[in-house]
Structures are given as C-alpha cells and as structure tokens.
Amino acid sequence: MIDQCIFWALLLFPHVHGSEQPPSPTLSEPWRQISWGDNETDLQYVQSYTPVNGKVKHLRVLLYGPVGAGKSSFINSVSNVLRRRMSIPAAASSTTSDRSFTTKYETHKIIRGTSDSFYPIVFNDIMGLEEGTGQGVKAEDIKLAMMGRVKEGYKFNSASALSEHDEGYNQSPSPDDQVHVLVCVLSANTAEIKESVLEKMKVVREAARDLGIPQMAIITKIDEACDETEKNLRNVYKSKYLKKKMKDFSSAVGIPMNCIFPVKNYNEEININDDMDTLILSALRHMINFGDDFIEKMNSSDHQYHKKRWWNWIHGWKQWFDILIPGLQQFGTLINELQQFGPLIPGLLQVGNLITGLQFGFGIWMPLLLGFGILIMMRSH
C-alpha cells in the first residue's frame, strides 16, 4: 500500500522529492550568428586577398599567449583549411607542460595549392608566456617583434631580452617585417590566467596600442571545456559556459567581445571537418580585415612607421659620423707626430694637411648633409 502511494505521488507531483529538471546548459538561440556550412564564401575571400598597400607583400599575424594555449596548432589548422588537407608547418606539442615548446621566432607561410607560391598572409609563432619573471618569452621581445626588430630564427632567451647589439636584432625593418595584427591565443580549458602572465599581456597590449596595431583573440580547446560543444560544435554560440568564459577573458585581458573568436584546432582529426573550418575561417577573415586596415594606414606619411624610419635613417648617419670623425682626428694626430720624419717620408706633411681639412669639412658639412637628407625623405613621401 505504501509503495503504491509513493508511485502515485511521484506520478502526480514530479516536482516533489527533488525531481526538478536542471537548467539547460545551452541557450535557446545562438548569441552570435555564423553561417554554418557556407565555407566557400570565406574561403574564396581569403584566397583572393591581396594587401591594400603595394609596398607590403604579405600581412603578418603575430600569435602570443600563455604556454599550451594552442598557438602552433592554430597555424597548422589554418594551413589545413586553406590547403584542404592535413599539414604541420608549425611544430606543436601534444603534452601538457608549463614550459614553452616553441623557442624560436619563426615565420610560417602557407603554400597555395600545389604551386611554389604562398598566400599573402604569414604567421609568426613565438615562445609562450610563462608564470614568473625569469620564465618564457620576455614582453620586451614581443614588443620588438611587433616593430619588426626580431630576425628570423632568433632563439628567445628567458633570462634577458633582445638588445640592438645582438645578432638577432633587425636594424632596418621593412613594412613586411612589421606585425600588422596581434592575436592573443587563450585556452577555454584553463581555469584562470595567472597574475604574472596577465601583467606581461598588459605590457604587450599597451605596446601594440602605442604602435596602432589592431588586436584580437582566439579561444581554443572549446570542445574540451564544454560537453555540449564536444557533442556538437554548432552549440559553440549557444553554450552558456563558453559565453561566460569569453566574457571573463574579455574582462581580464581587455579585448572586446566582438574581437574574440572561439575555434577548435585540428588535433585528433585526420580529415577536414566543415564545422571546424567554419570557425577557423571566421576568425581568419577578421584577422585579414583588421590587419589590412592597419596596412592601409601605413600609406600615411604621418604614420608611426614612417616617423620611425626617418629617425632610424638620421640615427644611422649620426652613428656613421660619430665613428668617422674621431677616427680622422686620431689619424691626423698620428700624421702630425710623424711630420718630424718628413724628410724621410715625403708627402706626410701634405697628408696631414689633407686630414686636417677633412676634419674641418666634415664638422661643418655634417649638419647640412643631414638636413638635406631629411628634405629628400620628406619630399619622397
């Protein structure tokens, strides 16, 4: 009799005894619209892209972020999408570690089809940001990379930042060497970003702001962080957890929500996946748009790049004169001391007079030459 009462009570009053349904982990409608299955439009957009500034041959994307976020894997994923097959241009590690697998500054180009040509968009992979002051890539090195000051193949040193006297320092960066869009890569599967890493990211973001370089972020490992997205990738913009995670990242890092894009990198897959490609192409298209806007601004004569180039040119001339004049003075002193042997060494007196004249001439003409050079540079722009 008691069992029958319990049965009817549960049937008539399902809300009793804690039988309420838990809230759904997904929204009824996606909070951001994306065209699933329509990859050809975005793919064609990327394939037909050409930098708006003729002086720039390729758009340069610099990826930075905490160790293990998936920077190298994202480069490989972009290559997979564009080449329509699996490829590994960037070495990536599948092991979990608090030390960066990438140690060198490398430029990764993506082959266009089966030809020897490349897409006009390149990716630079760098050492990851690690917790602590003496670990991982230095924020100063990332700033130099944005300015095009880091040479290809430079091996990062956790103990000290690159200096202008090092072999890996690029003294004369071109518009192609400079970074055109800065991308922060974060993992959705990370509980929180450590305070010391956030401080380094803040320094990098402020440097990019001062240089006028556009910034965005991609959130990786969304399938590992959210069961609903793992079941169906199209739930990415319905997932309450991922939306909150993106908002938390936006608040912590300072990048607006409309500049943050979730992606799933190729990891276990051995074949192309349309839904994964949709998210990757969406992020890639915005990288191109943001970067090309910056490249267009580089045409302006008052742009930061031109100001830096004029100053570098003037600084180079000054360094040359600073070396030349003391050398002439020392040589002239030597000749004057040897003049007592004039009868033995004919012509030393004339040489001494010539050196003295050169010293005087360079001392007078150096400012005029510099001013004339600046005028030529200004007229050419």
Side-chain angles (χ1 to χ4, degrees):
M1 184 69 180
I2 295 176
D3 290 342
Q4 290 183 2
C5 290
I6 295 174
F7 170 78
W8 285 107
L10 290 174
L11 184 65
L12 297 173
F13 306 101
H15 60 282
V16 181
H17 303 293
S19 61
E20 297 93 337
Q21 291 293 323
S24 173
T26 58
L27 302 167
S28 58
E29 296 292 332
W31 61 272
R32 179 183 286 177
Q33 297 298 322
I34 191 169
S35 299
W36 296 103
D38 184 23
N39 293 342
E40 285 303 318
T41 302
D42 284 342
L43 192 60
Q44 180 61 36
Y45 181 84
V46 176
Q47 290 174 338
S48 61
Y49 167 71
T50 301
V52 66
N53 185 341
K55 297 178 182 178
V56 177
K57 295 179 181 178
H58 50 246
L59 185 152
R60 186 177 298 275
V61 179
L62 178 61
L63 304 177
Y64 81 104
V67 172
K71 297 179 290 296
S72 301
S73 295
F74 178 73
I75 295 172
N76 292 337
S77 297
V78 171
S79 179
N80 294 345
V81 174
L82 297 182
R83 300 190 68 184
R84 310 310 299 155
R85 66 170 180 81
M86 296 296 107
S87 58
I88 47 172
S93 174
S94 61
T95 60
T96 302
S97 173
D98 58 353
R99 293 289 179 265
S100 179
F101 185 71
T102 301
T103 58
K104 294 182 178 180
Y105 186 69
E106 294 185 80
T107 300
H108 298 282
K109 300 178 181 180
I110 300 174
I111 298 174
R112 188 190 292 272
T114 57
S115 66
D116 294 331
S117 63
F118 299 91
Y119 283 95
I121 175 171
V122 298
F123 294 87
N124 275 94
D125 194 11
I126 61 171
M127 193 177 191
L129 293 168
E130 297 179 19
E131 188 178 1
T133 55
Q135 304 295 334
V137 66
K138 294 287 185 183
E140 292 81 2
D141 282 343
I142 301 179
K143 290 163 59 177
L144 290 173
M146 287 189 284
M147 298 165 64
R149 294 289 185 183
V150 181
K151 286 185 177 180
E152 181 73 12
Y154 169 72
K155 188 171 183 178
F156 293 103
N157 185 352
S158 299
S160 62
L162 178 68
S163 73
E164 61 180 342
H165 304 294
D166 292 332
E167 187 178 350
Y169 188 88
N170 184 4
Q171 298 286 350
S172 304
S174 69
D176 273 324
D177 295 327
Q178 189 172 356
V179 169
H180 307 121
V181 57
L182 180 68
V183 179
C184 179
V185 183
L186 300 165
S187 170
N189 206 28
T190 301
E192 62 179 6
I193 307 173
K194 301 298 183 181
E195 188 64 33
S196 60
V197 175
L198 279 175
E199 284 299 319
K200 294 176 183 178
M201 294 171 71
K202 180 182 177 183
V203 173
V204 173
R205 278 184 39 76
E206 289 176 349
R209 176 203 63 196
D210 294 341
L211 292 169
I213 299 174
Q215 305 176 51
M216 58 181 286
I218 57 173
I219 307 297
T220 63
K221 304 182 181 180
I222 56 177
D223 56 320
E224 298 178 19
C226 175
D227 292 337
E228 299 304 313
T229 306
E230 185 178 27
K231 294 175 187 175
N232 185 353
L233 200 58
R234 297 192 179 194
N235 285 329
V236 59
Y237 289 124
K238 287 185 177 182
S239 169
K240 295 178 181 178
Y241 174 82
L242 287 179
K243 184 178 182 180
K244 182 180 183 303
K245 197 72 175 178
M246 290 172 65
K247 284 186 174 181
D248 291 344
F249 280 143
S250 178
S251 299
V253 181
I255 298 177
M257 280 286 284
N258 63 353
C259 294
I260 302 177
F261 300 87
V263 301
K264 180 187 181 319
N265 288 333
Y266 279 91
N267 182 23
E268 302 174 338
E269 300 78 12
I270 60 173
N271 294 308
I272 296 297
N273 181 287
D274 285 343
D275 289 345
M276 291 172 62
D277 291 357
T278 297
L279 294 176
I280 293 169
L281 282 168
S282 174
L284 183 59
R285 180 163 184 164
H286 282 84
M287 285 181 201
I288 290 175
N289 290 340
F290 296 159
D292 206 50
D293 288 343
F294 177 76
I295 290 174
E296 185 176 16
K297 290 179 182 178
M298 292 177 74
N299 277 322
S300 174
S301 60
D302 61 349
H303 188 267
Q304 184 79 8
Y305 169 75
H306 295 292
K307 293 178 181 178
K308 292 274 184 186
R309 187 172 64 170
W310 290 352
W311 169 249
N312 291 337
W313 185 85
I314 295 168
H315 184 64
W317 269 91
K318 182 180 180 299
Q319 285 183 318
W320 188 80
F321 278 112
D322 288 345
I323 294 172
L324 178 65
I325 291 178
L328 287 174
Q329 290 173 342
Q330 292 177 4
F331 190 65
T333 302
L334 176 62
I335 293 298
N336 290 331
E337 291 177 355
L338 291 174
Q339 284 180 9
Q340 58 182 313
F341 301 104
L344 300 177
I345 309 175
L348 281 179
L349 184 59
Q350 287 79 1
V351 173
N353 292 335
L354 174 63
I355 295 299
T356 303
L358 284 173
Q359 293 176 28
F360 179 75
F362 276 117
I364 293 177
W365 286 100
M366 182 176 67
L368 295 176
L369 286 171
L370 287 176
F372 184 66
I374 294 170
L375 268 175
I376 293 175
M377 292 291 293
M378 294 179 67
R379 286 178 64 86
S380 66
H381 293 279

